Structures are given as C-alpha cells and as structure tokens.
Amino acid sequence: MGLFKQFLCDKNAATAIEYAFIAALISVAIVGGARAIGIAIQSKFYGPLSSNLS
C-alpha cells in the first residue's frame, strides 16, 4: 500500500497520468473522426454503386 501512496504523491506520476488522459482523448477523437469520414465515404460510393447493381 505504501508504494501505491508514494506513486500517487509523486509529481512525475501525476504528469504521466495527465499525459495518458490526453493521449486517450486524442485517440478517441481520431477514432470518431475516422468513423465519420468512413461513413461519409461509404454513403458517397456505396449508394450509387448499389443502385446501379439493382
């Protein structure tokens, strides 16, 4: 338990945790943006293609 408490009180640990949160937020934004772009591309190309195949 002492090691965990020491980790929480350490300034470097706090900085590492902050950087981890920032990296997680950036990755969520990238995944969300990629999904939105993928849906837009899919509707642009798959819509006309499927209507031509029918």
Side-chain angles (χ1 to χ4, degrees):
M1 187 70 174
L3 184 62
F4 183 70
K5 186 175 180 180
Q6 182 182 4
F7 179 75
L8 290 177
C9 294
D10 188 11
K11 296 266 186 194
N12 291 329
T15 304
I17 292 170
E18 290 169 358
Y19 283 133
F21 281 136
I22 291 169
L25 289 174
I26 290 172
S27 65
V28 166
I30 289 172
V31 168
R35 182 179 168 111
I37 291 171
I39 290 171
I41 289 173
Q42 180 183 11
S43 66
K44 182 175 178 100
F45 291 110
Y46 181 70
L49 180 65
S50 66
S51 65
N52 288 337
L53 292 176
S54 298

